Amino acid sequence: MGTSAATSETLTASAGPVSLPELYERMTLIRAFESKVGELYRANEIPGFVHTSLGQEAVAAGVCAALRDDDYMATSHRGHGHCLAKGADVDGMMAELFAKGSGLCHGKGGSMHVADPARGILGANAIVGATVPLAVGAGLSSKLRKQGRVAVAFFGEGAVNQGAFHEALNLAAIWSLPVLLVCENNLYSEFSDSRRMSRVPSPAERASGYGVGAVKVDGNDVAVVYEAALAAVATCRKGDGPALVEAETYRWQGHYEGDSQPYKPDDEAEAWRGRDPLLVARKRLAGHEEELDAMDARAREQAEQAVERALAAAPPDPEEAYAHVFSD
Ligand SMILES: Cc1ncc(C[n+]2csc(CCOP(=O)(O)OP(=O)(O)O)c2C)c(N)n1
Ligand SMILES: [Mg+2]
């Protein structure tokens, strides 16, 4: 596991079954999907709140590529990319955001509550820090049933100041659960600079207090994230979990779509745009520009079509207001 050693050659040859072009394809799909979502939200076409992860695509793509289809994943309010990377249907996701009956949750969840149990997606969740106990519960179930499934929790650096994170991490540690904690450190928690919220600058350092191994990686380099995730998932699968990966990244947009971000220094966003995860991957894949351009075009087309289908779809049937709401 390293922070800079991987190249497209070593990745294709040795890092794992998913190639760098495939990782790029997953990132460009997330980019296209969320760019479209942002545009439509600003045009008042999408109800509720929308939090995009533009600029953070490498974390979702790199981590989820290291997972099996039946592994569990829990995500936060900023979870579109994680769900798409874990295999959620693009049309079903888009329709869900538009609150249509054809949505993955029949239009009753929306952006912050997308779930797809068939793909191990336990759900997006707006309660900061809550993904960690959810994944720990799923990891415990996998361990007791001897299923070999790993449970991943995505959360932001703001969540590591929540009690739920610490309690759940401690339980996962003493029970050696197959749980991978992925902290997307994008520097901001709502409208505040997270670097002023703790004397401990790095969320990864918190893990050592619980006897849990952690790595901090460049979260804008999908090759690096993927390698770190493969190693951490292998640790969990072997029964030596949990593990924590801190991915250093940056959210390009505000906390939610519409936030004008007066709290960010002027030059910071520009500097991070120079580290655009798609550009970082393109540099590794120099010589394959045509192929990558075609992937970008296909992703944009897929997002466009998903929007058209969502707009044409019917809202949930009022007769079904109480269906899909409670579990048995
Ligand atoms: C328990 C709880 N406390 C507060 C909030 C309000 N809130 C929503 S998002 C957020 C910040 C989250 O920051 P971070 O964990 O870094 O995630 P990011 O938004 O950067 O992805 C807060 C405080 C909440 N939703 N849940
Ligand atoms: Mg954050």
Side-chain angles (χ1 to χ4, degrees):
M1 190 183 311
T3 51
S4 60
T7 65
S8 55
E9 286 75 27
T10 58
L11 252 187
T12 316
S14 65
V18 181
S19 70
L20 189 51
E22 287 173 295
L23 294 172
Y24 181 91
E25 194 164 28
R26 290 170 197 210
M27 290 198 293
T28 194
L29 175 63
I30 299 169
R31 175 70 55 88
F33 182 95
E34 287 206 305
S35 301
K36 206 69 214 159
V37 165
E39 186 188 313
L40 288 159
Y41 187 83
R42 290 191 293 277
N44 268 335
E45 295 279 357
I46 295 178
F49 267 101
V50 160
H51 308 76
T52 64
S53 62
L54 293 166
Q56 303 185 189
E57 296 88 347
V59 189
V63 170
C64 291
L67 301 178
R68 291 193 329 214
D69 280 352
D70 67 342
D71 284 335
Y72 294 109
M73 187 277 283
T75 181
S76 69
H77 54 286
R78 206 174 299 288
H80 307 150
H82 307 138
C83 294
L84 290 171
K86 188 69 175 64
D89 177 64
V90 179
D91 289 350
M93 280 277 298
M94 194 64 90
E96 188 56 40
L97 269 60
F98 276 82
K100 295 298 180 78
S102 56
L104 279 177
C105 303
H106 309 277
K108 294 172 183 169
S111 163
M112 277 187 276
H113 306 97
V114 180
D116 187 357
R119 286 176 180 76
I121 301 173
L122 297 170
N125 183 332
I127 302 170
V128 171
T131 59
V132 185
L134 272 175
V136 168
L140 176 61
S141 133
S142 168
K143 182 168 177 160
L144 292 176
R145 297 178 200 198
K146 301 187 181 7
Q147 292 175 322
R149 297 162 90 174
V150 170
V152 177
F154 285 102
F155 51 95
E157 79 294 344
V160 303
N161 295 322
Q162 285 282 352
F165 167 83
H166 297 271
E167 294 174 32
L169 175 55
N170 189 54
L171 272 184
I174 57 169
W175 291 338
S176 300
L177 298 182
V179 175
L180 171 57
L181 304 181
V182 180
C183 178
E184 285 177 303
N185 187 350
N186 62 11
L187 305 182
Y188 291 90
S189 178
E190 280 194 327
F191 322 110
S192 305
D193 187 330
S194 304
R195 291 161 287 196
R196 289 190 280 119
M197 291 181 181
S198 169
R199 279 195 183 186
V200 182
S202 162
E205 285 179 44
R206 310 282 187 103
S208 64
Y210 297 95
V212 171
V215 287
K216 180 149 81 164
V217 299
D218 178 352
N220 280 20
D221 189 333
V222 72
V224 166
V225 175
Y226 179 50
E227 286 202 354
L230 276 177
V233 166
T235 299
C236 293
R237 198 97 65 203
K238 241 180 19 212
D240 295 337
L244 187 147
V245 173
E246 176 186 348
E248 293 183 293
T249 185
Y250 194 75
R251 66 162 156 81
W252 287 1
Q253 303 300 102
H255 170 59
Y256 51 75
E257 195 55 58
D259 164 18
S260 61
Q261 316 191 71
Y263 49 87
K264 283 185 179 174
D266 291 341
D267 49 351
E268 191 179 69
E270 242 356 87
W272 278 92
R273 277 194 188 251
R275 295 274 306 145
D276 177 344
L278 269 73
L279 291 182
V280 172
R282 274 180 172 263
K283 277 192 193 133
R284 289 185 179 281
L285 288 164
H288 296 271
E289 285 75 17
E290 265 183 43
E291 196 187 327
L292 302 178
D293 290 347
M295 286 180 186
D296 291 350
R298 271 202 304 275
R300 281 196 295 268
E301 180 62 24
Q302 218 179 333
E304 284 286 352
Q305 282 184 4
V307 170
E308 276 172 32
R309 289 181 186 131
L311 285 170
D317 184 347
E319 292 288 314
E320 291 198 344
Y322 294 105
H324 321 115
V325 177
F326 299 103
S327 79
D328 300 325

Short mmCIF file of all heavy atoms in Angstrom, two decimals, residues 34-52 97-98 111 256-258:
data_model
loop_
_atom_site.label_atom_id
_atom_site.label_comp_id
_atom_site.label_asym_id
_atom_site.label_seq_id
_atom_site.Cartn_x
_atom_site.Cartn_y
_atom_site.Cartn_z
N GLU A 34 -23.64 13.83 -11.23
CA GLU A 34 -23.79 14.91 -10.25
C GLU A 34 -23.77 16.29 -10.89
O GLU A 34 -24.39 17.23 -10.37
CB GLU A 34 -22.70 14.79 -9.17
CG GLU A 34 -22.97 13.63 -8.23
CD GLU A 34 -22.34 13.85 -6.87
OE1 GLU A 34 -21.13 14.09 -6.83
OE2 GLU A 34 -23.07 13.78 -5.86
N SER A 35 -23.05 16.44 -12.00
CA SER A 35 -23.07 17.74 -12.70
C SER A 35 -24.49 18.03 -13.16
O SER A 35 -25.00 19.15 -13.05
CB SER A 35 -22.12 17.73 -13.90
OG SER A 35 -20.81 17.46 -13.48
N LYS A 36 -25.12 17.00 -13.69
CA LYS A 36 -26.51 17.13 -14.17
C LYS A 36 -27.45 17.42 -12.99
O LYS A 36 -28.33 18.28 -13.07
CB LYS A 36 -26.89 15.81 -14.84
CG LYS A 36 -27.94 15.86 -15.87
CD LYS A 36 -27.50 16.56 -17.13
CE LYS A 36 -28.70 17.29 -17.69
NZ LYS A 36 -28.37 18.37 -18.59
N VAL A 37 -27.24 16.71 -11.90
CA VAL A 37 -28.09 16.89 -10.72
C VAL A 37 -27.97 18.33 -10.20
O VAL A 37 -28.97 18.99 -9.88
CB VAL A 37 -27.71 15.87 -9.62
CG1 VAL A 37 -28.30 16.27 -8.27
CG2 VAL A 37 -28.18 14.47 -10.01
N GLY A 38 -26.75 18.84 -10.14
CA GLY A 38 -26.52 20.22 -9.66
C GLY A 38 -27.27 21.21 -10.54
O GLY A 38 -27.96 22.12 -10.05
N GLU A 39 -27.12 21.02 -11.84
CA GLU A 39 -27.75 21.93 -12.82
C GLU A 39 -29.28 21.90 -12.64
O GLU A 39 -29.92 22.96 -12.58
CB GLU A 39 -27.36 21.37 -14.20
CG GLU A 39 -27.74 22.15 -15.40
CD GLU A 39 -27.41 21.29 -16.64
OE1 GLU A 39 -26.29 20.72 -16.74
OE2 GLU A 39 -28.30 21.18 -17.51
N LEU A 40 -29.84 20.72 -12.50
CA LEU A 40 -31.30 20.61 -12.41
C LEU A 40 -31.82 21.08 -11.06
O LEU A 40 -32.93 21.60 -10.95
CB LEU A 40 -31.72 19.16 -12.67
CG LEU A 40 -31.56 18.79 -14.15
CD1 LEU A 40 -31.47 17.28 -14.32
CD2 LEU A 40 -32.72 19.36 -14.96
N TYR A 41 -31.01 20.90 -10.03
CA TYR A 41 -31.44 21.38 -8.71
C TYR A 41 -31.52 22.92 -8.74
O TYR A 41 -32.48 23.51 -8.25
CB TYR A 41 -30.46 20.92 -7.63
CG TYR A 41 -30.97 21.27 -6.25
CD1 TYR A 41 -31.89 20.46 -5.60
CD2 TYR A 41 -30.56 22.45 -5.61
CE1 TYR A 41 -32.39 20.80 -4.35
CE2 TYR A 41 -31.06 22.79 -4.37
CZ TYR A 41 -31.96 21.96 -3.73
OH TYR A 41 -32.46 22.29 -2.51
N ARG A 42 -30.51 23.52 -9.36
CA ARG A 42 -30.51 24.99 -9.46
C ARG A 42 -31.70 25.48 -10.28
O ARG A 42 -32.17 26.59 -10.10
CB ARG A 42 -29.18 25.49 -10.05
CG ARG A 42 -28.00 25.31 -9.10
CD ARG A 42 -26.76 26.05 -9.60
NE ARG A 42 -26.21 25.49 -10.83
CZ ARG A 42 -25.38 24.44 -10.88
NH1 ARG A 42 -25.00 23.85 -9.77
NH2 ARG A 42 -24.93 24.00 -12.04
N ALA A 43 -32.17 24.64 -11.19
CA ALA A 43 -33.34 25.00 -12.02
C ALA A 43 -34.65 24.61 -11.34
O ALA A 43 -35.71 24.62 -11.99
CB ALA A 43 -33.22 24.33 -13.38
N ASN A 44 -34.58 24.25 -10.06
CA ASN A 44 -35.79 23.90 -9.29
C ASN A 44 -36.51 22.65 -9.77
O ASN A 44 -37.71 22.50 -9.57
CB ASN A 44 -36.80 25.05 -9.30
CG ASN A 44 -36.59 25.96 -8.11
OD1 ASN A 44 -36.06 25.51 -7.08
ND2 ASN A 44 -36.98 27.20 -8.26
N GLU A 45 -35.79 21.77 -10.43
CA GLU A 45 -36.44 20.55 -10.96
C GLU A 45 -36.41 19.42 -9.94
O GLU A 45 -37.15 18.44 -10.07
CB GLU A 45 -35.70 20.07 -12.23
CG GLU A 45 -35.77 21.02 -13.40
CD GLU A 45 -37.08 20.88 -14.16
OE1 GLU A 45 -37.89 20.02 -13.81
OE2 GLU A 45 -37.30 21.70 -15.09
N ILE A 46 -35.50 19.51 -8.96
CA ILE A 46 -35.34 18.41 -8.00
C ILE A 46 -35.76 18.88 -6.61
O ILE A 46 -35.29 19.93 -6.15
CB ILE A 46 -33.86 17.93 -8.00
CG1 ILE A 46 -33.51 17.33 -9.35
CG2 ILE A 46 -33.60 16.93 -6.87
CD1 ILE A 46 -32.07 16.86 -9.49
N PRO A 47 -36.64 18.14 -5.96
CA PRO A 47 -37.11 18.59 -4.63
C PRO A 47 -36.11 18.26 -3.53
O PRO A 47 -35.18 17.46 -3.72
CB PRO A 47 -38.39 17.77 -4.44
CG PRO A 47 -38.18 16.53 -5.24
CD PRO A 47 -37.30 16.91 -6.41
N GLY A 48 -36.29 18.87 -2.38
CA GLY A 48 -35.45 18.55 -1.21
C GLY A 48 -34.08 19.20 -1.29
O GLY A 48 -33.91 20.23 -1.93
N PHE A 49 -33.13 18.60 -0.60
CA PHE A 49 -31.75 19.10 -0.59
C PHE A 49 -30.86 18.17 -1.38
O PHE A 49 -31.10 16.97 -1.44
CB PHE A 49 -31.22 19.14 0.85
CG PHE A 49 -31.42 20.46 1.52
CD1 PHE A 49 -32.46 20.66 2.41
CD2 PHE A 49 -30.54 21.51 1.26
CE1 PHE A 49 -32.64 21.88 3.04
CE2 PHE A 49 -30.71 22.74 1.87
CZ PHE A 49 -31.76 22.93 2.77
N VAL A 50 -29.81 18.73 -1.96
CA VAL A 50 -28.85 17.93 -2.71
C VAL A 50 -27.44 18.32 -2.28
O VAL A 50 -27.10 19.50 -2.27
CB VAL A 50 -29.04 18.14 -4.23
CG1 VAL A 50 -27.81 17.72 -4.99
CG2 VAL A 50 -30.23 17.34 -4.75
N HIS A 51 -26.64 17.32 -1.91
CA HIS A 51 -25.23 17.54 -1.55
C HIS A 51 -24.39 16.76 -2.56
O HIS A 51 -24.48 15.54 -2.60
CB HIS A 51 -24.92 17.01 -0.16
CG HIS A 51 -25.85 17.51 0.92
ND1 HIS A 51 -27.12 17.03 1.07
CD2 HIS A 51 -25.66 18.43 1.89
CE1 HIS A 51 -27.70 17.63 2.11
NE2 HIS A 51 -26.84 18.50 2.62
N THR A 52 -23.60 17.46 -3.35
CA THR A 52 -22.81 16.73 -4.36
C THR A 52 -21.42 16.42 -3.85
O THR A 52 -20.93 17.05 -2.90
CB THR A 52 -22.70 17.52 -5.68
OG1 THR A 52 -21.97 18.73 -5.43
CG2 THR A 52 -24.05 17.81 -6.28
N LEU A 97 -34.04 10.74 -6.97
CA LEU A 97 -33.79 12.15 -6.66
C LEU A 97 -34.95 13.04 -7.10
O LEU A 97 -35.22 14.09 -6.50
CB LEU A 97 -32.48 12.62 -7.32
CG LEU A 97 -31.22 12.49 -6.46
CD1 LEU A 97 -30.94 11.07 -6.05
CD2 LEU A 97 -30.02 13.08 -7.18
N PHE A 98 -35.62 12.62 -8.18
CA PHE A 98 -36.78 13.37 -8.67
C PHE A 98 -38.07 12.98 -7.95
O PHE A 98 -39.15 13.43 -8.31
CB PHE A 98 -36.97 13.13 -10.18
CG PHE A 98 -36.11 14.00 -11.05
CD1 PHE A 98 -34.79 13.67 -11.32
CD2 PHE A 98 -36.62 15.16 -11.62
CE1 PHE A 98 -34.00 14.47 -12.14
CE2 PHE A 98 -35.84 15.96 -12.44
CZ PHE A 98 -34.52 15.61 -12.69
N SER A 111 -32.53 12.13 -2.37
CA SER A 111 -31.06 12.18 -2.42
C SER A 111 -30.38 11.65 -1.17
O SER A 111 -29.38 10.95 -1.23
CB SER A 111 -30.63 13.63 -2.65
OG SER A 111 -29.28 13.81 -2.34
N TYR A 256 -24.19 22.23 0.48
CA TYR A 256 -25.32 21.76 -0.34
C TYR A 256 -25.35 22.60 -1.60
O TYR A 256 -24.69 23.65 -1.68
CB TYR A 256 -26.65 21.86 0.42
CG TYR A 256 -26.91 23.21 1.03
CD1 TYR A 256 -27.28 24.31 0.25
CD2 TYR A 256 -26.75 23.41 2.40
CE1 TYR A 256 -27.49 25.55 0.81
CE2 TYR A 256 -26.95 24.66 2.97
CZ TYR A 256 -27.33 25.72 2.17
OH TYR A 256 -27.52 26.95 2.72
N GLU A 257 -26.09 22.13 -2.57
CA GLU A 257 -26.20 22.87 -3.82
C GLU A 257 -26.89 24.20 -3.52
O GLU A 257 -28.00 24.22 -2.97
CB GLU A 257 -27.01 22.04 -4.82
CG GLU A 257 -26.91 22.50 -6.24
CD GLU A 257 -25.49 22.60 -6.74
OE1 GLU A 257 -24.77 21.58 -6.71
OE2 GLU A 257 -25.10 23.71 -7.14
N GLY A 258 -26.22 25.31 -3.81
CA GLY A 258 -26.78 26.63 -3.51
C GLY A 258 -25.98 27.40 -2.47
O GLY A 258 -26.16 28.60 -2.31
#
